[in-house]
Amino acid sequence: MPRWLLAQAQGMEQVALSIGNNDYKDAAQLVNAGRDAKLMHDTFGRLGARSELCTNLNGVGLNKAVGDFIRKIQGREIGVAWFFFSGHGAALEGKSLLLGTDVSLRSQEELKKSGFDLDRLKGMLAQVKPRISVVIIDACRNNPFQTRGLERGDKGIVPKAWDGTLVAYSTAEYTKALDWPQKSNGPYAAALSAALTDSHARGLEDAFRAASDQVFAQTGHQQTPGYYSDLRSQVWLEAGKVSLRALPQTQLAQQAGGAARSLAMTSYRADLPLDDRYIGTPVAEWAETMYRLEIGVPRMDRFEAAQAMARARQGNAADRDLCIAGLLLEAGNRGQGIEKNRGQAAKFYERAALRGYVPAQTLLGELAYARQDYAQSYKWLSVASRSGYGRPLLDLAQLTGEGLGTAQDPQKAAQLLLESFKSIPGLAAPGK
């Protein structure tokens, strides 16, 4: 009996669509996109899915393939819907586009017309309602018309997840995915296929996390995969089989309890090997620490500032000292004998941020915003918001409201703003 039919008989049907585009007419030719799609097509089949493989689709073919995929789900009780795309991707004006082989790069208008918008896939899946959707994009996340450094309006393929989905990207915002022509498959598809079919039992997110870490290491940190997840069931992988388990009510309550906590719990980037030494620190302690830092540092005299900088330069510098040095350098003060150096300030903040120090994560995110590096700002403020501290939540609300470093979403911005208010002592009490 075919695996997909066996899975259907066991009460959980899976469907999959894998698309690989190599032969672009107006963009760089790719080598491994078609082979990567074939590998993932075989992988989904091994997991029990009824899988379809399509290669070298033009814009019309891309739309038709997605439409046929959605019709396979409509009116059926689908357990998992898998979607994989390997090829060229682009982003313009907040739109995340998958590109058919006939796409034109002569103008941004032509690109927008011929690219397949991920928002369309989101809407189509929302209508047919599979229990779980897994959308995997193995494509670049940059702007093909960009000729200089990042600009305010250039978002890259933006992170998007919606209820019941896991959306995975083979590389970070604003960056390119490696084709690896010297290998038979690209780094991400190879790592993900192995992780999904590993003989050891693991959760779906664990598999994506393992694949992301492997690619990050194998490519010498050139490619940074990650994912965004809003799953409402636990997907379990074991010996080539997929099963769904209901999440415990306590976990569902935690996910529903705050927009920022849900965001932080269900997003991952391979370049953030964070320490957990500060987990459980009360929010009030972070607020007090930040207050004392920002009040005390400007009042330091020249001798105190020099001592603080000396401590921060030591290899075993305390996280608080690293933040003090960062604040000194970020502002610059001739009376303290400190010249402004934002680049060095970011390096001091990052050392403490990677160890999980929330004030450093917050300050690093805010500094990145000031330098118009919105991807880094969103990344670090998202990490800082895991603590429940209100300041990074407030900053995230601004980024989300303006659509900088992430998709513009006024509703989520309002939720983040409300969550930041709730972190103020006393405001969470009934009646407040």
Side-chain angles (χ1 to χ4, degrees), residues 46-266:
R46 290 172 63 188
L47 292 174
R50 182 156 50 100
S51 186
E52 183 79 18
L53 173 64
C54 299
T55 58
N56 291 322
L57 298 179
N58 59 21
V60 172
L62 184 57
N63 278 273
K64 183 179 184 302
V66 175
D68 291 343
F69 174 61
I70 294 299
R71 280 187 285 276
K72 289 179 182 178
I73 303 171
Q74 192 160 18
R76 307 179 70 95
E77 291 293 331
I78 299 297
V80 184
W82 305 86
F83 177 88
F84 176 83
F85 175 85
S86 183
H88 281 306
L92 290 172
E93 300 176 1
K95 297 292 185 182
S96 302
L97 306 175
L98 309 181
L99 305 183
T101 55
D102 61 343
V103 67
S104 172
L105 299 183
R106 287 177 293 183
S107 72
Q108 297 194 27
E109 287 303 316
E110 290 189 40
L111 179 66
K112 283 189 289 186
K113 289 178 182 178
S114 55
F116 184 87
D117 188 353
L118 273 181
D119 276 343
R120 285 191 59 208
L121 179 61
K122 170 183 176 178
M124 295 165 82
L125 286 169
Q127 287 183 344
V128 296
K129 295 181 174 61
R131 187 167 174 186
I132 295 294
S133 298
V134 182
V135 177
I136 306 163
I137 307 302
D138 190 358
C140 297
R141 300 177 67 187
N142 62 328
N143 182 335
F145 296 99
Q146 182 181 320
T147 58
R148 54 187 187 277
L150 284 176
E151 299 175 353
R152 184 182 179 89
D154 181 14
K155 305 292 191 296
I157 285 192
V158 292
K160 295 186 178 182
W162 53 94
D163 189 37
T165 67
L166 184 147
V167 182
Y169 294 97
S170 64
T171 193
E173 301 94 330
Y174 312 107
T175 63
K176 295 183 178 181
L178 302 179
D179 194 29
W180 259 15
Q182 70 273 26
K183 303 280 188 177
S184 58
N185 288 104
Y188 187 66
L192 183 58
S193 175
L196 289 173
T197 56
D198 190 285
S199 59
H200 297 92
R202 58 170 56 170
L204 181 67
E205 290 189 26
D206 295 326
F208 276 92
R209 190 177 297 114
S212 298
D213 290 344
Q214 181 177 332
V215 172
F216 187 62
Q218 281 185 340
T219 61
H221 301 182
Q222 294 183 63
Q223 188 167 329
T224 308
Y227 65 82
Y228 307 86
S229 174
D230 195 11
L231 299 179
R232 290 296 179 262
S233 296
Q234 185 181 65
V235 183
W236 195 252
L237 306 169
E238 185 171 9
K241 297 179 181 178
V242 179
S243 59
L244 301 184
R245 304 176 182 180
L247 288 175
Q249 290 300 312
T250 53
Q251 188 171 347
L252 285 171
Q254 288 173 354
Q255 288 189 355
R261 279 194 293 274
S262 177
L263 170 70
M265 284 182 359
T266 58

Side-chain angles (χ1 to χ4, degrees), residues 149-152 174 326 329-331 340-350 362-378 380-381 399 404:
L150 284 176
E151 299 175 353
R152 184 182 179 89
Y174 312 107
L329 289 165
E330 187 176 349
K340 181 183 290 189
N341 188 333
R342 286 182 165 183
Q344 186 59 48
K347 292 179 181 178
F348 280 129
Y349 289 149
E350 187 169 13
T362 304
L363 291 168
L364 184 57
E366 291 174 348
L367 177 56
Y369 180 90
R371 301 171 78 185
Q372 297 189 0
D373 189 349
Y374 302 117
Q376 286 292 310
S377 180
Y378 183 83
W380 284 110
L381 292 171
L399 285 171
L404 299 175

